Amino acid sequence: MEHFLETWGYAAVFLLSFISSMGLPVGSELAIIGGGVLASGACVTSCTHTTNPLNFVVVILVAVAGEVLGSLAGYAIGRFGGRALVDKVGKYVLLTHKDLDRAEAWFARRGEPFVLFGRFIPLLRSFVSFAAGLGEMAPLKFLAFTVIACAIWCTALVSLGYSLGSSYEHVYKAFSYVGYVVAVLAVIAVAFVLWHRWRQYRMERDRSRAETPV
């Protein structure tokens, strides 16, 4: 990612932001911070070549554009392919139509804070748009909260990278060890969620079969 970012600059920031906000967590946070580092005139790695600094404001605008457009793509996938996708692949990802009904009801009550504040939580933020689409949140409301959250998020990350400058690599290495601990805890949490979801899915499937007339 670091080499890609230093080679392609704005295009790399946009692409990684787009992919991540669409639903694939590819670490766009590091890419956006790296864009801020490049805007300061420093390198995101121990490079020996001269890197032309990026423009601070343009990095923010490009990151926000990638985040918003990717979010709209993820929303569209969830909104227009949600129930059809559940029919085709629901059993593989442990989703049923009752899950979609619950998602719609939940978003009707708490959709705005989830879309707004969910953007500030790494990993979870990649799935906010798809979940909002599945919950059939109003498009204009989704867009408004998405633009606000992405603008705040991207400005903060680019500013962080810009302030770190040449010390970015040392800070990144220092926190990499913490990342291993977080990764282990994340794997445990995901395994527990999948186990619980599998039990719930089987119970709902058996109940649905029992209610279906022969």
Side-chain angles (χ1 to χ4, degrees):
M1 181 192 297
E2 293 170 341
H3 177 72
F4 179 56
L5 184 61
E6 288 183 343
T7 303
W8 294 98
Y10 299 121
V13 173
F14 176 86
L15 182 61
L16 293 173
S17 298
F18 181 93
I19 294 175
S20 181
S21 59
M22 185 179 66
L24 297 175
V26 294
S28 64
E29 297 87 355
L30 293 178
I32 297 174
I33 293 174
V37 174
L38 293 178
S40 72
C43 295
V44 293
T45 59
S46 300
C47 56
T48 56
H49 61 278
T50 301
T51 302
N52 293 325
L54 303 180
N55 182 277
F56 177 80
V57 176
V58 176
V59 172
I60 294 176
L61 294 177
V62 168
V64 171
E67 290 275 332
V68 172
L69 293 176
S71 297
L72 290 175
Y75 174 87
I77 294 173
R79 177 84 183 232
F80 301 109
R83 295 189 180 274
L85 284 175
V86 168
D87 290 334
K88 294 180 180 179
V89 300
K91 62 181 179 180
Y92 301 112
V93 294
L94 309 180
L95 281 177
T96 66
H97 283 282
K98 289 186 177 180
D99 293 320
L100 299 187
D101 294 336
R102 283 194 291 265
E104 290 177 9
W106 191 87
F107 264 92
R109 300 191 306 270
R110 304 183 181 89
E112 294 90 343
F114 177 74
V115 171
L116 182 62
F117 297 108
R119 300 286 180 188
F120 306 127
I121 304 176
L123 186 61
L124 174 64
R125 66 188 311 278
S126 295
F127 305 102
V128 168
S129 301
F130 184 72
L134 285 176
E136 297 187 359
M137 185 178 182
L140 291 180
K141 185 182 296 185
F142 169 80
L143 178 61
F145 283 99
T146 296
V147 171
I148 294 172
C150 290
I152 296 173
W153 176 254
C154 293
T155 301
L157 292 185
V158 175
S159 300
L160 175 61
Y162 188 89
S163 63
L164 289 175
S166 59
S167 63
Y168 164 79
E169 185 179 3
H170 301 292
V171 175
Y172 177 76
K173 288 181 178 179
F175 278 94
S176 63
Y177 297 104
V178 179
Y180 293 126
V181 177
V182 174
V184 172
L185 295 177
V187 169
I188 295 174
V190 170
F192 175 79
V193 170
L194 289 176
W195 172 77
H196 176 74
R197 188 69 196 96
W198 170 245
R199 288 187 60 193
Q200 189 176 16
Y201 174 80
R202 290 187 61 183
M203 291 173 60
E204 292 185 359
R205 183 189 60 185
D206 296 340
R207 189 181 303 117
S208 178
R209 289 178 178 176
E211 295 174 352
T212 303
V214 180

